[in-house]
Amino acid sequence: MRKSKWTSLFSLMLVFVLVLAACSGDESGEDGADEKDSDEKVKIVYARGKDATKATDKIIEAFEKKYPNIDVEFRDMPSDSGAQHDAYVTALNGKSSEIDVMDLDVVWPAEFAQAGYVMALDRFIQKDNINLDDYNQGALSAANFNAKQWALPKFIDAGMLFYRTDIVEEGNVPQTWDELITKADELQGEKGTKFGYLMQAKQYEGLVTNAVEFIASYGGEIVNENGEVVVDSEEAIQGIKKMVEVANADFVPENITTFTEPESHTSFIEGESPFIRNWPYQYALANDEDQSEIVGNVGVAPLPKGDAGSAAALGGWMTAINAYTEHPREAWEFLKFMTGPEGQKISAIHGGLAPTLPSLFEDEEVLEANPFFKEEGFVNALNNAVSRPVVPNYPEISEIIQIEISKAITGKVTAEEAAKNMQKKIDAAMQ
Ligand code: GLC
């Protein structure tokens, strides 16, 4: 049957109208977000490791006040970075949309981007004119992979030495690992302390950061800037030896090989040790009247030096959006708030976290809460912090380091053997 000219024209118009409708529908859901009435609430789930400070609650409170139509439910994840990593990987492998926004440890973004677990943020960044130059470029680049930005950095971490100002006299803070060993031994038992020094020596990610610090303080490296594995060196071996010596000293808890951050920070704020190696949040926590018995008695210094100087491991967390979220737009609003100046200021004041927006280091309230942010030792530690290997199969490399360093601490291998084994296994894993 032959169609009349008018019928054809009508069909064409109908197609046109349908296409338009489809396009406009697509546009309103531009970010794949579901259409909602403006006053209908959307709930998003935000996951991160257990927060020992009040910062996360305060951020959510401030965000919900500003965005009354978005409810943020906080999902506590294991504070052990490796356990948290595995929980996300299991959920995201199963394409779960349950979590919308999550924090990533600085060593994960390449892996998560490659696996398709997180959303590239570039279109959001452009749409909202976020100026990436405002960020610490090192922290920012940790989440840049294949020329895309997969997360925005929320805080930087660097390992530091915290000490009790009521036990350690001013000017008497240990400068070298050997001085630390002498002082920790001497001061153990002062003012009711049970130990001399606390660190993180369980077989987990934190052990890697403690090892990186010892190794770098003697001039060693695990993987160099050209991506070559160089851990089987005299310098690295010296660092491992010093770590083994400290972890086996009488002044650390006998069960130090079960200590992650929470075990060590709890012992410190309960007044059990004059010294602890930890991340900057330790300061805010130690001054939290609701939790700490040592409020006002905490000092911060660079970690002790080895033969090559003091070295801090670079840590930190970034915020990303689950690639399978059903609420990308709301997820982005929350991510933007938390990693932006308002959220980072709350993190710095209530969580003692070092901002990735350098301008906040000049903010008076931030400095009042964290006087050490302006100290040279802290700024140097942050600026020179040592990265862990930046590779998509980082978990595999980390596991090798964890196993070998644990064996060295428990005397199953010598420092030399640990270095040799790491060299061989990491080399193979990097092929
Ligand atoms: C801190 C650091 C993180 C590191 C972890 C190890 O959370 O920010 O980068 O991997 O400690 O326990």
Side-chain angles (χ1 to χ4, degrees):
M1 199 174 69
R2 220 177 141 244
K3 284 184 195 162
S4 78
K5 202 163 107 196
W6 290 113
T7 323
S8 305
L9 193 63
F10 179 73
S11 319
L12 202 69
M13 278 174 71
L14 190 67
V15 169
F16 188 53
V17 168
L18 285 177
V19 167
L20 260 189
C23 281
S24 73
D26 206 46
E27 206 162 77
S28 58
E30 187 194 315
D31 304 326
D34 38 358
E35 275 293 287
K36 294 272 174 213
D37 291 337
S38 57
D39 48 0
E40 195 178 325
K41 274 208 175 194
V42 172
K43 189 192 84 179
I44 57 169
V45 174
Y46 163 54
R48 58 153 283 160
K50 194 172 168 47
D51 190 352
T53 72
K54 299 191 171 74
T56 303
D57 290 342
K58 298 252 182 217
I59 290 175
I60 294 177
E61 205 181 291
F63 175 79
E64 288 181 340
K65 207 161 157 202
K66 189 162 172 185
Y67 295 86
N69 292 339
I70 308 177
D71 256 346
V72 180
E73 184 188 309
F74 175 35
R75 183 80 42 98
D76 251 355
M77 301 297 279
S79 56
D80 170 333
S81 165
Q84 193 179 147
H85 167 273
D86 296 351
Y88 292 138
V89 168
T90 306
L92 299 172
N93 252 330
K95 301 193 174 8
S96 167
S97 61
E98 204 176 314
I99 290 166
D100 300 285
V101 179
M102 67 210 148
D103 283 0
L104 305 184
D105 195 343
V106 69
V107 278
W108 309 341
E111 178 200 357
F112 277 49
Q114 198 167 56
Y117 295 156
V118 290
M119 223 175 237
L121 301 179
D122 305 76
R123 64 195 167 127
F124 296 114
I125 291 171
Q126 271 158 22
K127 183 171 67 99
D128 284 353
N129 288 320
I130 306 291
N131 187 358
L132 295 183
D133 292 342
D134 290 346
Y135 283 87
N136 171 306
Q137 295 302 299
L140 193 69
S141 68
N144 196 289
F145 181 73
N146 279 346
K148 289 197 175 122
Q149 195 66 36
W150 301 93
L152 285 180
K154 149 177 184 185
F155 66 90
I156 332 182
D157 262 344
M160 315 286 302
L161 179 71
F162 297 84
Y163 59 93
R164 288 274 296 278
T165 48
D166 56 335
I167 300 180
V168 184
E169 279 163 33
E170 175 115 36
N172 225 355
V173 180
Q175 302 291 312
T176 64
W177 287 114
D178 290 332
E179 278 176 34
L180 174 93
I181 292 172
T182 311
K183 297 233 157 75
D185 194 42
E186 208 176 280
L187 299 173
Q188 174 178 19
E190 289 277 312
K191 299 228 167 165
T193 52
K194 296 209 286 212
F195 313 113
Y197 184 62
L198 300 162
M199 61 190 288
Q200 298 79 38
K202 185 184 165 180
Q203 187 174 319
Y204 82 117
E205 188 57 35
L207 183 70
V208 178
T209 57
N210 280 252
V212 160
E213 287 161 353
F214 276 101
I215 290 174
S217 73
Y218 283 87
E221 281 181 296
I222 297 177
V223 175
N224 70 12
E225 56 181 7
N226 302 323
E228 294 151 352
V229 187
V230 291
V231 67
D232 189 9
S233 70
E234 207 31 61
E235 293 82 7
I237 291 170
Q238 263 187 295
I240 299 169
K241 280 190 175 153
K242 196 53 72 181
M243 180 170 188
V244 171
E245 183 184 344
V246 173
N248 281 286
D250 286 341
F251 54 73
V252 302
E254 223 171 306
N255 57 343
I256 195 74
T257 53
T258 63
F259 271 48
T260 65
E261 286 83 0
E263 290 80 12
S264 50
H265 75 221
T266 305
S267 174
F268 188 64
I269 64 175
E270 286 178 354
E272 295 183 340
S273 174
F275 297 110
I276 183 174
R277 176 264 172 224
N278 206 354
W279 309 102
Y281 79 91
Q282 178 68 76
Y283 188 82
L285 188 65
N287 285 312
D288 178 349
E289 297 193 339
D290 295 340
Q291 304 187 56
S292 169
E293 288 167 29
I294 56 168
V295 174
N297 290 329
V298 189
V300 192
L303 281 170
K305 296 179 185 144
D307 290 350
S310 165
L314 179 71
W317 291 77
M318 356 254 314
T319 308
I321 300 177
N322 178 358
Y324 307 105
T325 177
E326 285 159 18
H327 310 290
R329 229 173 341 187
E330 291 78 11
W332 164 251
E333 289 305 340
F334 183 58
L335 184 158
K336 184 174 72 173
F337 180 85
M338 191 159 56
T339 58
E342 284 166 278
Q344 287 208 31
K345 184 164 172 174
I346 299 174
S347 285
I349 293 175
H350 298 281
L353 302 176
T356 61
L357 291 165
S359 58
L360 285 175
F361 283 106
E362 272 139 48
D363 184 290
E364 265 174 40
E365 288 166 276
V366 168
L367 289 176
E368 197 189 323
N370 302 282
F372 66 99
F373 277 6
K374 49 178 183 286
E375 274 172 32
E376 201 187 322
F378 179 71
V379 177
N380 285 344
L382 271 194
N383 292 342
N384 302 316
V386 184
S387 303
R388 286 159 276 173
V390 184
V391 282
N393 64 338
Y394 177 75
E396 211 184 319
I397 312 288
S398 169
E399 204 185 336
I400 297 170
I401 302 170
Q402 292 176 33
I403 291 174
E404 293 303 326
I405 297 289
S406 288
K407 282 189 183 164
I409 290 179
T410 51
K412 296 200 180 82
V413 297
T414 61
E416 286 82 358
E417 284 163 342
K420 222 173 230 46
N421 294 344
M422 284 195 273
Q423 178 78 31
K424 205 168 92 204
K425 293 194 210 164
I426 300 175
D427 242 340
M430 304 248 304
Q431 292 314 312

